[in-house]
Amino acid sequence: HVVRRASIGERDGLMHLEKAEAGDAEFLRSSDINCRFVNSATAPDGTLYVTDMYRGIIQDAPWLSPGPREFIKQAGLADNNQHGRIWRIRHRDHQPGPRPRMLDESTAELARHFQNPNGWWRDTAQKLIILRDDRDSVAPLLVGMVLYDQNALARLHALWTLEGMSQADRALLKVAFADRDPRVRRAAVQVAETLMSQDSALISDLQNLSGDADASVAKQLIFTLGLEAAESPESTEAIQQAARRHLGHRGVMLATAISLWGKTELPLIQQIHSGDAFKDLKGADPAVAAAHWSTILANWNRGLTYPDDMPDEQRRFIRSGEQTYFRTCVACHGPDGKGTQVPGTEIFLAPPLVGSERVQGSPETLIPILLKGLLGPIDGKTYQAGFMAPAEALGITRDDRLAEVISYIRFAWDQNLPAVSAEDVKRLRQQHADRAAPWTLEDLEKATK
């Protein structure tokens, strides 16, 4: 029943929200039990819209114990539905701005809205440009904005619009890498992720950014280069250099731990464990930074053990798959592979991987599931998630990355099953290329006989 206003800042390298109103005051509060404030948005005229579901019940049945159920009956809350509303809030000194007429504007005219301080105008203009049939005609104008516009937000939106039009290239990104505003530099690093596999020279450009003075840029650089660190000693070294420059920044710590997952032999990691990395640390308390690093790196040990005769290359393959699993799969399947249980219920989001006949069976069955997704009841049970998204929807687009995570799933939790290869994934991707829909178990059984 409350809308809380918060100021957004950074504390110890992490985003920090702090209540703006003093004491018990709130930006908006209602004593009406039916008020259910669920969303807010900036309007085109500069006012604030607050969405109020205005409904008696918003909980799902599993979360309602007998006491609340009885109160709902007595108060008649179940009878209040279909009464949602939108609050329009403006400051008494604010004069609402003009009504947008963007559909009547040319594509080039839309670009001028990138300088508007109201984000609704910038975001909507960017979306409409990308949807226009003549969007390519505005590309030179957008390139000029990235190069010369004095407004950092305009440069930022122009860059992302070019990315959405597949018009961002290495030449443009090299300029953006040197932009005076860290938000633009960070965005340029993100945009580069989609182009790295096509232009290896771009990876070298990124590696040269390891000395960036802004921690937010360094954090994004570490994440981006982490996609290549397994295959590139140069990227691994650049990550270490960027991390050393911002050792006291919590965001950089987390990014580094993810991107260098399990690489205990690296000089930076050894220096962190010995304490040598913090001898000349500036801008942060060395003892506090060392404690944070110790806690974060402790997560590398999840009890995964390898046979003594397993080749180092295969260990790296599975370890990289573990990293991907904990980025994309753990929310539904759980850290122990037994599925994530909805708190307070007997309901699971997704089926267990431990003991699964599809995990323990032939990769000819398991790989297509991750390629196309899986729909419907599993072994006679319906899970709350209802649908397993295909790997590409989760950001796993490369055959070797998918092979790594499948190999981890088959090896972890004492299953110790053989790894699969990128060649296996590629072959089955081609074999099932014509299928667009997710599998059902019935379809999968027919296709893999």
Side-chain angles (χ1 to χ4, degrees):
H1 316 298
V2 170
V3 176
R4 169 161 292 178
R5 185 168 66 99
S7 57
I8 304 175
E10 185 178 284
R11 180 180 296 176
D12 197 18
L14 299 177
M15 181 182 290
H16 179 75
L17 304 181
E18 186 169 354
K19 183 170 177 278
E21 265 63 49
D24 294 333
E26 298 287 357
F27 178 78
L28 178 61
R29 176 165 49 195
S30 175
S31 59
D32 184 347
I33 195 172
N34 296 283
C35 274
R36 307 287 191 173
F37 305 120
V38 294
N39 197 15
S40 65
T42 304
D45 63 1
T47 60
L48 176 68
Y49 290 167
V50 176
T51 308
D52 181 358
M53 187 185 288
Y54 204 78
R55 184 182 179 92
I57 306 174
I58 61 172
Q59 292 85 0
D60 288 330
W63 280 268
L64 288 178
S65 56
R69 284 178 181 270
E70 185 60 31
F71 173 76
I72 286 170
K73 291 180 181 179
Q74 294 177 359
L77 295 182
D79 298 328
N80 178 29
N81 51 63
Q82 304 297 325
H83 292 142
R85 58 190 179 183
I86 297 175
W87 297 74
R88 180 176 180 268
I89 303 171
R90 74 175 180 89
H91 194 279
R92 59 174 173 259
D93 297 332
H94 173 72
Q95 294 300 318
R99 178 180 298 180
R101 300 286 185 185
M102 290 189 182
L103 295 181
D104 298 329
E105 296 179 343
S106 70
T107 306
E109 287 174 328
L110 290 174
R112 63 186 172 88
H113 297 304
F114 289 166
Q115 298 186 356
N116 196 307
N118 185 336
W120 184 93
W121 291 79
R122 300 194 306 272
D123 292 342
T124 305
Q126 180 175 330
K127 176 178 66 175
L128 291 177
I129 289 174
I130 291 175
L131 292 174
R132 291 284 178 93
D133 291 334
D134 66 338
R135 65 184 189 180
D136 290 344
S137 66
V138 79
L141 173 61
L142 296 176
V143 170
M145 293 182 74
V146 175
L147 299 179
Y148 305 116
D149 202 290
Q150 295 302 303
N151 186 312
L153 288 174
R155 300 197 300 276
L156 188 66
H157 279 273
L159 176 61
W160 278 116
T161 307
L162 287 165
E163 189 275 340
M165 296 161 50
S166 299
Q167 297 275 0
D169 58 18
R170 183 191 174 204
L172 180 71
L173 291 178
K174 289 186 70 172
V175 174
F177 289 155
D179 194 279
R180 59 186 177 277
D181 192 293
R183 293 172 296 180
V184 178
R185 300 200 301 275
R186 183 174 69 243
V189 175
Q190 290 177 291
V191 172
E193 287 186 7
T194 61
L195 303 176
M196 289 192 305
S197 61
Q198 307 165 25
D199 189 345
S200 59
L202 193 54
I203 299 176
S204 298
D205 296 334
L206 288 165
Q207 293 164 355
N208 292 333
L209 297 177
S210 60
D212 197 291
D214 186 86
S216 67
V217 178
K219 181 177 73 172
Q220 182 58 54
L221 179 69
I222 290 168
F223 275 131
T224 298
L225 289 178
L227 300 173
E228 298 292 328
E231 296 85 10
S232 171
E234 293 79 12
S235 290
T236 299
E237 177 58 31
I239 290 172
Q240 293 181 88
Q241 291 177 11
R244 283 193 178 95
R245 190 177 178 94
H246 304 280
L247 273 180
H249 190 277
R250 294 283 296 281
V252 168
M253 295 180 195
L254 294 168
T256 305
I258 290 171
S259 294
L260 299 181
W261 188 269
K263 296 185 176 182
T264 56
E265 75 283 357
L266 292 177
L268 172 65
I269 305 305
Q270 294 181 0
Q271 290 161 9
I272 287 171
H273 285 310
S274 70
D276 291 344
F278 308 103
K279 288 181 178 179
D280 300 319
L281 183 64
K282 297 176 182 176
D285 186 322
V288 172
H292 286 320
W293 274 103
S294 178
T295 300
I296 290 171
L297 294 179
N299 289 313
W300 281 4
N301 182 12
R302 295 198 177 106
L304 199 64
T305 57
Y306 305 97
D308 293 338
D309 59 349
M310 179 179 281
D312 289 343
E313 184 59 34
Q314 189 172 345
R315 295 189 189 203
R316 285 193 292 270
F317 196 72
I318 293 173
R319 192 165 58 201
S320 181
E322 178 188 28
Q323 185 177 353
T324 302
Y325 178 87
F326 278 87
R327 280 178 176 169
T328 58
C329 311
V330 70
C332 291
H333 291 289
D336 56 2
K338 296 179 180 180
T340 299
Q341 189 171 1
V342 178
T345 75
E346 299 298 321
I347 300 171
F348 283 79
L349 290 178
L353 300 174
V354 176
S356 165
E357 62 180 70
R358 283 159 293 281
V359 173
Q360 296 184 343
S362 169
E364 303 287 317
T365 299
L366 181 60
I367 293 174
I369 292 176
L370 274 80
L371 286 171
K372 301 297 181 179
L374 188 62
L375 186 66
I378 307 297
D379 300 328
K381 294 183 180 180
T382 299
Y383 294 87
Q384 183 154 328
F387 166 60
M388 176 181 169
E392 287 190 359
L394 301 174
I396 310 173
T397 58
R398 288 170 38 174
D399 293 340
D400 56 346
R401 292 281 184 257
L402 188 53
E404 288 168 354
V405 74
I406 292 174
S407 297
Y408 168 73
I409 289 170
R410 286 168 55 82
F411 179 80
W413 313 299
D414 297 324
Q415 299 190 105
N416 298 320
L417 297 165
V420 302
S421 68
E423 288 71 24
D424 293 329
V425 174
K426 181 178 180 179
R427 174 175 54 81
L428 288 166
R429 186 190 297 277
Q430 293 172 345
Q431 180 177 327
H432 301 292
D434 293 337
R435 184 177 182 89
W439 299 103
T440 64
L441 286 183
E442 183 180 0
D443 290 342
L444 187 63
E445 184 178 353
K446 293 177 181 178
T448 56
K449 276 186 177 180

